[in-house]
Amino acid sequence: MQIYRVGGSVRDELLGEPSHDSDWVVVGGTPDEMIAAGYQPVGRDFPVFLHPATHEEYALARTERKTAAGYRGFAVHFAPDVTLEQDLSRRDLTINAMAMTPAGELVDPFGGRRDLADKTFRHVSPAFVEDPVRILRLARFAARLTDFQVHPDTLALMRVMVAQGEVDALVPERVWQEVSRGLMAAEPARMIAVLADCHALPRVLPGIAPSAILERALACAVRASLPLAARYALLVAAGGHGGPDPLADHLRVPGDCRDLARLLTAEEATLAAADAADARTQLALLERLDALRRPERVPILLQASRCLRLAQGESEDACARSTARLTNALQAVRDVDAGAIAKAAAPGGPQAIRQALAEARSAAIAGRR
């Protein structure tokens, strides 16, 4: 058996970047030999094994043949006579189709090192069109490797895939996996731009359109190291058309992302006007945000609102004032002894309790101006 390190870890090493995982290809081996050597089989569709000590993935060299539409429509062939070059030829981009020997020698049959130097995303072979996930992966790579460009021939193939309906076979979970990683990359707007350029954006992210505001909002989120929920909320608020979030059901996004997007789009105007709002208006806003039960969500929402407003041209001072007002208002409300007030107002019934709490909280907010 011959073992090679392949794919992303080789690419990242040549880029001088850290790599968190290493993938390995085994040429000339069989499942029985791997098991006898102590490897644990985990592959469902083709033989993949976990190393007994490192738990890294080792896959037997294989080829693939397209059998049906979508990214799952493949027949996999593995055998000891499958060569390393045959295995690498089924990969998406040349920069991901390189291997390294145990001695550190590079195996690069498709010019991946050249394309790294030229900062080019180029497909390995015409078989690129067989897997629509490759469109998502390339777009996500564009968000990470921000000075790379898509080769014109590769872009043409991507457009063919869209025109033939291949992207329509993608399942929501797989789309979200790639989109979420792209949102957390160095320049998320490049992912949107690549999807738009190959005409996949309306299919993958319906309701989202590229714009200068979206680009600036996402760049602000990167600078502020905002979490995924905030970046998704900005994608919806700055890239969509307001109102209900069309992506939430389409992509089956996690609840925290869905909720923050809903709040940012619904309360965009009131968040921006918080600095000039009176105490009762601020209290009503905090109640709509469910701020007393979910106070940890408010700072993230305020940071997302700041990025959106800055992208729309508001000043940093104006954003800082409204953020400070709502932050102070929330603290004032949390400082109110709700239990004592409810106990004192209890003889008047639930309505009296609600009114007493509202008055006390409004007074506390007004007192912290």
Side-chain angles (χ1 to χ4, degrees), residues 211-221 223 234-235 237-239 264 268 303-316 319:
S211 69
I213 290 177
L214 176 59
E215 182 176 353
R216 292 195 295 265
L218 290 174
C220 173
R223 291 193 299 271
L234 286 168
L235 173 68
L264 183 60
E268 178 183 348
Q303 291 182 73
S305 174
R306 168 184 169 271
C307 283
L308 180 60
R309 294 165 62 193
L310 289 174
Q312 293 169 337
E314 288 197 44
S315 70
E316 183 70 69
C319 295

Side-chain angles (χ1 to χ4, degrees), residues 223-301:
R223 291 193 299 271
S225 300
L226 296 190
L228 176 60
R231 300 187 192 202
Y232 175 76
L234 286 168
L235 173 68
V236 172
H241 308 291
D245 172 9
L247 291 182
D249 293 329
H250 181 73
L251 297 184
R252 301 175 191 170
V253 303
D256 60 335
C257 296
R258 180 192 300 258
D259 291 345
L260 208 68
R262 174 182 57 80
L263 291 174
L264 183 60
T265 54
E267 303 294 349
E268 178 183 348
T270 50
L271 287 166
D275 183 43
D278 60 27
R280 289 187 180 276
T281 301
Q282 290 185 56
L283 177 60
L285 172 58
L286 291 173
E287 289 173 343
R288 292 196 300 275
L289 300 181
D290 198 16
L292 285 177
R293 291 197 311 138
R294 301 284 304 278
E296 75 286 349
R297 190 168 60 182
V298 175
I300 299 173
L301 179 63

Side-chain angles (χ1 to χ4, degrees), residues 147-179:
D147 52 354
F148 277 58
Q149 300 298 322
V150 182
H151 191 278
D153 292 344
T154 304
L155 179 61
L157 288 183
M158 295 165 71
R159 290 174 173 171
V160 168
M161 296 165 73
V162 175
Q164 292 178 343
E166 278 286 334
V167 294
D168 299 327
L170 291 168
V171 298
E173 293 81 3
R174 194 67 176 89
V175 176
W176 174 247
Q177 180 182 5
E178 297 296 335
V179 168

Side-chain angles (χ1 to χ4, degrees), residues 35-282:
I35 294 171
Y39 290 79
Q40 179 184 355
V42 294
R44 182 178 63 180
D45 299 321
F46 49 83
V48 176
F49 302 83
L50 298 183
H51 190 281
T54 66
H55 302 292
E56 291 177 329
E57 290 191 353
Y58 286 65
L60 296 185
R62 64 189 188 271
T63 60
E64 295 173 345
R65 178 172 55 85
K66 185 74 167 175
T67 59
Y71 75 99
R72 290 175 171 168
F74 290 91
V76 177
H77 168 72
F78 62 93
D81 61 352
V82 175
T83 67
L84 175 63
E85 183 170 337
Q86 287 176 315
D87 182 274
L88 294 176
S89 70
R90 66 180 175 77
R91 297 172 186 266
D92 52 2
L93 303 173
T94 59
I95 63 172
N96 297 327
M98 295 180 286
M100 193 80 73
T101 69
E105 298 174 354
L106 183 67
V107 181
D108 180 20
F110 304 105
R113 190 168 203 168
R114 173 202 62 207
D115 286 337
L116 280 181
D118 294 341
K119 302 185 184 304
T120 299
F121 296 124
R122 185 199 307 265
H123 59 283
V124 172
S125 76
F128 182 92
V129 301
E130 296 178 350
D131 186 354
V133 171
R134 290 170 172 172
I135 291 178
L136 300 176
R137 280 172 50 84
L138 195 157
R140 189 246 299 171
F141 279 128
R144 175 190 166 187
L145 303 175
T146 59
D147 52 354
F148 277 58
Q149 300 298 322
V150 182
H151 191 278
D153 292 344
T154 304
L155 179 61
L157 288 183
M158 295 165 71
R159 290 174 173 171
V160 168
M161 296 165 73
V162 175
Q164 292 178 343
E166 278 286 334
V167 294
D168 299 327
L170 291 168
V171 298
E173 293 81 3
R174 194 67 176 89
V175 176
W176 174 247
Q177 180 182 5
E178 297 296 335
V179 168
S180 61
R181 293 177 69 181
L183 287 174
M184 295 305 295
E187 198 171 324
R190 293 202 76 220
M191 173 178 64
I192 308 302
V194 168
L195 291 174
D197 203 13
C198 72
H199 309 153
L201 188 60
R203 311 279 189 90
V204 175
L205 300 176
I208 300 301
S211 69
I213 290 177
L214 176 59
E215 182 176 353
R216 292 195 295 265
L218 290 174
C220 173
V222 172
R223 291 193 299 271
S225 300
L226 296 190
L228 176 60
R231 300 187 192 202
Y232 175 76
L234 286 168
L235 173 68
V236 172
H241 308 291
D245 172 9
L247 291 182
D249 293 329
H250 181 73
L251 297 184
R252 301 175 191 170
V253 303
D256 60 335
C257 296
R258 180 192 300 258
D259 291 345
L260 208 68
R262 174 182 57 80
L263 291 174
L264 183 60
T265 54
E267 303 294 349
E268 178 183 348
T270 50
L271 287 166
D275 183 43
D278 60 27
R280 289 187 180 276
T281 301
Q282 290 185 56

